[in-house]
Amino acid sequence: MEEWQKQLVGKWILVTHDGQYDAWMKLKGVSWANRKVAAGLPAVKDVEIAEGVVTHTYTLLKMIKVKQTLDPAATEPVEGSENGDRVLLLARWDADTCSLVFHKTFPDRQLVETMTNAVSEDGATMTVTLTTTSKGGQSVTTVDTFSRARDSKRWSSG
């Protein structure tokens, strides 16, 4: 495993959503009231890697969890669930951008999403770029910024 891959491991606290967050959630079918509530809630992203398999857990308000476990070496998507929607997932490492990229297809909503997770050089900040596109071609990109939790342990080979 490369050093930049190890930097993803740990607990990350949401700092900001960019201005497209509401449009992104609307495209995903989230109601107006739920969009307004979710935009202000604290969120945590936890990334673990064991034997090449990545476990990515996103927790909202310390109780709503989306947990996805993927092998970036897999060539076929894994079926899962995200917020009650069926999702087909693939993950891959992108050495050119030093990031972990998730490809998500929501067949029932006819949406495709790419989520790129990249850690800053100093290992303190993770930037998550989400681009979601509908079957009709409407596309929204949003950028979330996370900071490494103070109590989060960085990768340790020992």
Side-chain angles (χ1 to χ4, degrees):
M1 184 180 316
E2 300 289 329
E3 190 61 36
W4 61 266
Q5 293 169 324
K6 296 174 186 177
Q7 288 298 317
L8 287 162
V9 173
K11 186 176 288 190
W12 301 88
I13 309 297
L14 178 68
V15 177
T16 60
H17 293 298
D18 77 357
Q20 292 297 309
Y21 184 74
D22 187 70
W24 171 73
M25 289 191 67
K26 184 176 181 181
L27 183 63
K28 291 187 82 168
V30 178
S31 72
W32 178 86
N34 286 343
R35 290 194 317 264
K36 295 305 173 194
V37 170
L41 295 177
V44 175
K45 177 187 277 275
D46 196 10
V47 180
E48 299 171 3
I49 303 173
E51 298 179 21
V53 175
V54 177
T55 300
H56 171 268
T57 306
Y58 186 85
T59 306
L60 191 62
L61 195 61
K62 295 184 179 181
M63 59 187 202
I64 302 169
K65 288 188 179 191
V66 174
K67 184 175 183 177
Q68 297 163 337
T69 301
L70 299 165
D71 182 351
T75 58
E76 294 294 321
V78 174
E79 187 165 335
S81 177
E82 187 171 305
N83 301 322
D85 291 324
R86 186 167 64 106
V87 62
L88 303 174
L89 300 150
L90 266 175
R92 68 176 172 78
W93 295 111
D94 185 337
D96 292 335
T97 60
C98 295
S99 59
L100 176 63
V101 181
F102 289 91
H103 294 283
K104 303 178 181 184
T105 302
F106 297 88
D108 301 331
R109 292 200 177 268
Q110 299 184 343
L111 296 173
V112 176
E113 184 170 88
T114 301
M115 178 176 70
T116 303
N117 301 270
V119 177
S120 62
E121 236 179 83
D122 66 1
T125 304
M126 181 187 294
T127 302
V128 178
T129 304
L130 291 150
T131 300
T132 304
T133 305
S134 70
K135 183 179 178 184
Q138 181 182 5
S139 183
V140 175
T141 298
T142 185
V143 179
D144 293 343
T145 305
F146 292 80
S147 65
R148 187 178 295 277
R150 287 184 205 166
D151 62 345
S152 178
K153 302 278 190 259
R154 291 195 186 196
W155 177 272
S156 170
S157 58

